[in-house]
Amino acid sequence: MSTTVDTAFAPVTFSEGAAKELYKLKDQQEIGEDYGLRVGVEGGGCAGMNYVLGFDQKKDGDQEYFIDGIKVFMNKAHQMYLMGMMIDWQDGLNSRGFTFVNPNATSTCGCGTSFSA
């Protein structure tokens, strides 16, 4: 059974820019209230694991958080890889997109979407 956890115990945080971009995407794509932002990991990528970030419905094994007013779903098993991570938004000439500042990553790839722990 899934549970909702207080923001104070949420494993990830958003920068101001990331939260603003997430609100914008949710509004532009007309994401329904039954959807939340899925934050997680999956095997693959050049460093061993890829980050998962996208709007999705709640699944078995998910914990639900409200971070900066954003409903977030995360599988409990992914917390050990993501605890303390900050999700940021870059909007510069050289890079544009979400970036992940993960204190648990022992190495990352050049593109920033893959890591090993």
Side-chain angles (χ1 to χ4, degrees):
M1 179 170 201
S2 309
T3 58
T4 301
V5 179
D6 189 325
T7 302
F9 300 105
V12 300
T13 58
F14 302 124
S15 69
E16 184 179 330
K20 185 177 175 182
E21 187 65 20
L22 289 166
Y23 277 116
K24 187 170 109 178
L25 287 171
K26 187 175 181 197
D27 185 50
Q28 287 176 344
Q29 296 178 12
E30 299 177 1
I31 305 291
E33 292 303 314
D34 56 334
Y35 283 75
L37 182 70
R38 177 160 307 282
V39 179
V41 295
E42 63 185 6
C46 51
M49 299 179 98
N50 283 324
Y51 293 108
V52 173
L53 186 69
F55 291 100
D56 194 6
Q57 291 184 311
K58 196 171 192 176
K59 298 177 182 174
D60 287 339
D62 282 348
Q63 285 195 305
E64 182 175 337
Y65 303 92
F66 287 92
I67 305 169
D68 295 333
I70 300 167
K71 187 186 323 183
V72 175
F73 301 140
M74 181 185 293
N75 186 292
K76 292 178 191 180
H78 297 187
Q79 290 181 16
M80 64 186 263
Y81 300 109
L82 303 177
M83 187 63 71
M85 181 175 75
M86 183 188 66
I87 299 172
D88 193 10
W89 172 255
Q90 300 293 315
D91 195 12
L93 293 175
N94 293 329
S95 65
R96 179 182 167 95
F98 290 100
T99 60
F100 306 90
V101 181
N102 187 346
N104 304 300
T106 56
S107 66
T108 59
C109 68
C111 65
T113 62
S114 179
F115 74 103
S116 63

